[in-house]
Amino acid sequence: MSNTSDLLTLPPTDFDSPIPTTPRYSRTEEPIQPTLPAEPLPVSGRLLTPVTKVGSLCPCDKHKDVCDINCCCDRACSEEVALFTGCSVDTVSGKKQLCSNDVATYSLESRIDGYSELQSSVRKETNYDVFCIQSQNRVDGLSHPSPALPTDSNFDSLFKEFTSFIFGSEENGGPVAPAEHQALSGYQWGDVMVTAGESGQRGMFWLPAPCVTADCVDTSPAAFLKDQSSRCSRRVVLKQDCGSLLALKMDTYTDIRVFAGKTQDAALVPVEVASVILQSVDGTQTELMISGGENLNPVLLNPTVCANVVLKVAYVTKYNPAGEIVNVTVSLVLGFVREAALSLEQEFHITFFQEDGEEAAIHCSGNPGYVVGLPLVSGTRTAEYPLPAWTLDFPHLDLQTAQDLSLTVVVTGIARSVDPRDTVSLLHSAEDQDCLQGPHRRSPVLFGLDSVSGCTLRLKDAANCSLVLEVLLDALRGPNHANFVASFGNSPLDYPLDWIPIESNFNPVEAQSCSIPLSLHLQIEWTKYGLLMNPQAQIVSIKEVIRTNTTSLDMLSGGSSILSIRSSVAFVPVSAAALPGYRATPTINAKLPFDFFFPFV
Amino acid sequence: MASGSQPILSSTPLQVLFYLNSWYFAAFYVAEILMFIYKGVLLPYPSDNLVLDVVLLLLFLGLETLRIFYGWKGNLCERSLASCASLFVLVPCAALAVYFLLLQTFVLRLEFILSAVLLVFYGLELLLGLLSVSTFSRSRVY
């Protein structure tokens, strides 16, 4: 039993370098050599053999074969030890958990000539703890087993053992993951949609987009479920390109057949043309009745004008819950390109809608509280009967999609548009600052973001006060004026108490003299609601402050008949200071049964 | 003694030993379990060694219960067969005690002491068991 303790590895284990094959001290017992069946592979290196004997251990021996100052156990210090002033390590003991362990003590003694002399001894110390380790029968002693070194023979088993849990390794994840992908017939988010060419070759669904410059890159793939809209420009030389450039042709965008799924045998879904709108030279748009047989290819009308050029393409893709494409419709705007224009600007949109999934189309701006940066949720109070969606006042939403998708959900009380951007909005600040640029060019009010924007109007007929007032009010408020705002980002439509009316200070009736609105300011008071740890933003009140002119109109415009109007929004936090709330102390609600003390009471 | 016809052959010292041994073993076993938890937490046990020790400990419980049961009944009923079975089971029990005394992965001093005492019990029971078996079988002759 006493022999076994020699096998112990001691805590401050010293490692002999493997390069000198003989140990530094010949007295060291035969080191425990891990039985190696073969030479370790060259890259793996060798394990150091542990030195286990207390007498040869030296924790302060930092430098090999060089004497460390005041390190009494350093064997290289046979000469320098006379100059030592003390021992940095005076006892080296084995594992304290053992019942009997060796302790090496080192001490210095001053000789008569002033030099020091080393006194060292190794003795046995007995531990009287009843839980000490009397003996142990492991090869590795109290140290953890040394790891197996890779050799020629055991490399494969080690590789299998240690690489089985690596993510994405060939063993584990590699073949499995593609198999799962193959099993899914539909597309997944971000997948490239596969198209079939004329001769059956597979291609990708392209949606031209600007890349580094504003120039269109035709080979930009559209990703499944990623709504995209891009605007890019092309340089065209009309004489050459009008009839020949594919990007100008309508057929390029309509003669596409898309595979419904990713698998080889997926059905082919042709792209249907939902509407074609012709835009005249001056910008008016008329919808073209598609009767078929018409030639809508670009035609060079005269050397400077090319007709029937694709200006805008909007795809609407319906998919089912399995991720398969059900149908794809495309709406196009065709128009004229003049030689004078520097470049042709084209717009491309693609949107994805789930088949019969109106629920998913309603966007929330928070759950429940508003999230900073998301548009306010607004609605209008309606009569208590349902309305078809497209009869409501809509902005000029992408062509026919409003009718196609039966957009608005109308329940008793409040109606709101499903388009999250169709909400309380401000004037859109554009570079030309033209208010009449289009009523749909407005920027929605985003929660928590104060902003100011403005535009200019040229008033020709300033005398007609009521008309000016109406135009300005429309421009300030936007085309579909909502009068209710949800207090939370996810307020349900059928719960009218969650909807806050927009208070307005403007009353057009009382305006006797010609007072016209010049600015609109929305003051939105919001508070933090709920726990301090996770406060939710709640809108408490919303006030619309319309400032009217005080002087006459001619004075305002300064004779130039140009009027600038302004809209702004400010979010005012009105949260009260948080109060610590204590839960009610629990009360013991233990009732003894009626006859608990029956025989006695 | 009651009937007077037959003398009682059962060995009282052996019965006392069995009685004490049963209680001692129960205490020993509880202490072993606690010490294995202690060792498993503190010491670098390789899992296969730990499993071996614990399985042997479980086996020890079964064998010891069997041994004390047969020895107990055999001594009280004066059956030499049951006593022989008890003595037969004593051999693996003693081997297990020696294992926990010397050969297991880590031997704590407390385990060492407890196993040594258990071995003393076994030695005495072996002697007395052999004596009583010989007594029983000799009485059968008549």
Side-chain angles (χ1 to χ4, degrees):
Chain A
M1 225 181 304
S2 60
N3 285 338
T4 53
S5 66
D6 289 340
L7 295 171
L8 289 182
T9 310
L10 295 148
T13 306
D14 211 4
F15 286 108
D16 271 334
S17 165
I19 309 303
T21 46
T22 52
R24 267 194 291 169
Y25 316 118
S26 51
R27 294 190 294 114
T28 312
E29 88 271 47
E30 198 64 21
I32 310 153
Q33 193 74 38
T35 49
L36 297 176
E39 276 293 291
L41 293 176
V43 194
S44 63
R46 281 162 197 272
L47 287 178
L48 302 168
T49 52
V51 175
T52 54
K53 209 161 177 169
V54 162
S56 54
L57 265 179
C58 192
C60 56
D61 187 5
K62 302 270 172 29
H63 301 98
K64 193 169 169 292
D65 295 331
V66 174
C67 178
D68 292 271
I69 298 303
N70 281 354
C71 183
C72 298
C73 51
D74 194 347
R75 298 288 167 122
C77 292
S78 52
E79 289 164 12
E80 292 87 342
V81 79
L83 303 172
F84 282 4
T85 53
C87 284
S88 55
V89 171
D90 47 9
T91 55
V92 181
S93 67
K95 197 83 177 168
K96 290 281 196 301
Q97 285 166 300
L98 292 174
C99 287
S100 75
N101 53 0
D102 292 330
V103 179
T105 53
Y106 301 92
S107 61
L108 287 177
E109 248 176 37
S110 291
R111 278 197 308 220
I112 197 140
D113 54 1
Y115 292 117
S116 302
E117 201 176 28
L118 181 66
Q119 306 279 322
S120 64
S121 62
V122 177
R123 59 189 167 77
K124 263 204 159 38
E125 216 167 55
T126 316
N127 188 351
Y128 293 104
D129 185 7
V130 86
F131 289 111
C132 64
I133 297 169
Q134 181 84 20
S135 67
Q136 61 88 33
N137 300 289
R138 270 190 60 203
V139 178
D140 294 305
L142 283 172
S143 60
H144 283 280
S146 48
L149 280 182
T151 60
D152 283 335
S153 52
N154 69 352
F155 183 80
D156 286 336
S157 62
L158 282 178
F159 185 78
K160 210 167 274 176
E161 181 184 350
F162 288 108
T163 54
S164 58
F165 50 82
I166 291 175
F167 293 111
S169 76
E170 288 298 311
E171 290 283 314
N172 201 10
V176 179
E180 280 175 354
H181 277 287
Q182 290 297 330
L184 291 169
S185 60
Y187 295 103
Q188 290 184 320
W189 188 88
D191 280 345
V192 169
M193 292 179 285
V194 185
T195 60
E198 293 295 324
S199 52
Q201 81 276 15
R202 293 163 83 87
M204 282 188 227
F205 192 96
W206 305 119
L207 191 75
C211 187
V212 181
T213 61
D215 290 331
C216 287
V217 178
D218 285 330
T219 53
S220 162
F224 186 64
L225 289 189
K226 273 187 182 170
D227 290 357
Q228 271 183 47
S229 54
S230 57
R231 182 191 286 258
C232 59
S233 63
R234 290 180 200 278
R235 294 203 177 85
V236 284
V237 181
L238 281 187
K239 276 176 199 162
Q240 301 165 15
D241 295 338
C242 184
S244 60
L245 192 65
L246 284 176
L248 307 184
K249 271 189 196 169
M250 176 182 150
D251 294 350
T252 314
Y253 304 102
T254 55
D255 281 0
I256 304 173
R257 289 178 302 161
V258 187
F259 280 105
K262 279 189 295 188
T263 45
Q264 291 283 346
D265 52 346
L268 275 174
V269 178
V271 171
E272 295 166 21
V273 179
S275 69
V276 176
I277 288 173
L278 277 180
Q279 185 172 318
S280 68
V281 182
D282 57 353
T284 55
Q285 297 185 339
T286 48
E287 184 170 350
L288 198 71
M289 292 301 137
I290 313 159
S291 53
E294 288 172 65
N295 184 16
L296 291 172
N297 282 335
V299 186
L300 200 63
L301 290 181
N302 62 47
T304 55
V305 177
C306 182
N308 293 344
V309 171
V310 173
L311 298 178
K312 191 172 170 185
V313 182
Y315 292 102
V316 176
T317 310
K318 266 190 213 172
Y319 62 94
N320 63 13
E324 287 161 344
I325 292 172
V326 178
N327 79 356
V328 184
T329 58
V330 62
S331 306
L332 294 145
V333 176
L334 306 181
F336 295 88
V337 185
R338 288 169 180 278
E339 186 71 79
L342 282 174
S343 59
L344 161 68
E345 198 168 73
Q346 288 181 309
E347 267 186 68
F348 300 94
H349 300 275
I350 186 164
T351 45
F352 292 87
F353 286 97
Q354 191 169 350
E355 197 183 26
D356 54 65
E358 279 90 359
E359 290 296 319
I362 294 178
H363 292 264
C364 291
S365 294
N367 184 21
Y370 276 102
V371 175
V372 173
L374 290 183
L376 295 192
V377 178
S378 71
T380 46
R381 184 174 282 269
T382 60
E384 310 225 337
Y385 52 88
L387 287 168
W390 43 271
T391 58
L392 284 177
D393 190 9
F394 256 111
H396 304 274
L397 201 71
D398 271 342
L399 309 166
Q400 278 210 325
T401 53
Q403 289 183 28
D404 284 343
L405 298 169
S406 63
L407 277 175
T408 308
V409 181
V410 181
V411 204
T412 56
I414 304 289
R416 69 171 273 221
S417 160
V418 287
D419 184 8
R421 298 183 71 80
D422 179 20
T423 174
V424 183
S425 56
L426 300 180
L427 299 166
H428 184 79
S429 281
E431 60 268 32
D432 50 3
Q433 300 223 322
D434 185 6
C435 288
L436 299 178
Q437 196 184 28
H440 59 291
R441 294 287 301 279
R442 294 178 66 87
S443 35
V445 173
L446 304 179
F447 183 81
L449 304 180
D450 298 355
S451 62
V452 181
S453 59
C455 62
T456 56
L457 271 175
R458 184 183 295 270
L459 290 179
K460 285 274 165 59
D461 186 13
N464 193 346
C465 190
S466 62
L467 184 65
V468 170
L469 185 140
E470 210 167 287
V471 168
L472 283 176
L473 211 56
D474 247 14
L476 283 169
R477 281 176 167 170
N480 50 337
H481 175 54
N483 48 15
F484 278 86
V485 165
S487 60
F488 287 110
N490 65 348
S491 297
L493 290 170
D494 50 352
Y495 194 59
L497 290 179
D498 252 13
W499 294 76
I500 297 161
I502 300 178
E503 297 165 31
S504 180
N505 70 338
F506 186 69
N507 193 355
V509 181
E510 73 181 25
Q512 295 297 326
S513 63
C514 185
S515 72
I516 55 166
L518 293 178
S519 74
L520 179 143
H521 178 72
L522 286 172
Q523 178 158 343
I524 299 170
E525 292 183 335
W526 64 280
T527 181
K528 288 177 182 171
Y529 182 86
L531 288 177
L532 193 61
M533 306 291 291
N534 184 20
Q536 302 293 317
Q538 179 195 16
I539 289 180
V540 182
S541 77
I542 173 165
K543 233 178 263 171
E544 183 189 57
V545 182
I546 292 179
R547 199 169 58 81
T548 55
N549 63 328
T550 48
T551 59
S552 77
L553 241 146
D554 292 332
M555 292 275 284
L556 266 173
S557 55
S560 63
S561 77
I562 292 177
L563 197 67
S564 67
I565 57 174
R566 194 161 60 93
S567 64
S568 56
V569 63
F571 286 87
V572 185
V574 292
S575 309
L579 288 174
Y582 298 105
R583 279 188 209 151
T585 47
T587 52
I588 298 170
N589 189 18
K591 273 186 193 149
L592 291 178
F594 173 69
D595 52 352
F596 190 75
F597 299 106
F598 163 61
F600 307 105
V601 180
Chain B
M1 217 182 287
S3 61
S5 59
Q6 275 192 339
I8 289 173
L9 303 175
S10 303
S11 158
T12 312
L14 185 61
Q15 197 58 36
V16 169
L17 267 182
F18 276 134
Y19 182 77
L20 291 179
N21 193 354
S22 63
W23 282 108
Y24 179 77
F25 187 78
F28 169 84
Y29 204 78
V30 171
E32 268 305 322
I33 288 169
L34 294 177
M35 271 186 290
F36 264 99
I37 293 168
Y38 170 81
K39 289 193 287 185
V41 170
L42 285 189
L43 299 176
Y45 253 108
S47 57
D48 41 356
N49 280 33
L50 188 63
V51 167
L52 175 70
D53 288 0
V54 170
V55 165
L56 286 179
L57 196 65
L58 291 176
L59 187 69
F60 201 5
L61 178 66
L63 287 176
E64 181 76 0
T65 313
L66 210 63
R67 188 185 71 81
I68 290 179
F69 176 77
Y70 277 127
W72 191 293
K73 296 296 173 199
N75 189 34
L76 289 184
C77 302
E78 302 177 7
R79 294 286 165 85
S80 55
L81 184 66
S83 292
C84 280
S86 165
L87 288 177
F88 180 73
V89 181
L90 184 74
V91 177
C93 279
L96 281 172
V98 168
Y99 177 82
F100 283 108
L101 179 84
L102 296 177
L103 303 173
Q104 63 164 320
T105 313
F106 293 104
V107 188
L108 300 187
R109 176 169 282 170
L110 186 60
E111 280 180 306
F112 187 80
I113 295 165
L114 291 179
S115 304
V117 173
L118 199 61
L119 278 175
V120 171
F121 267 109
Y122 287 172
L124 291 176
E125 280 170 18
L126 178 67
L127 280 178
L128 292 174
L130 284 175
L131 279 179
S132 54
V133 164
S134 68
T135 319
F136 299 156
S137 42
R138 207 181 303 138
S139 71
R140 278 286 165 81
V141 177
Y142 305 111

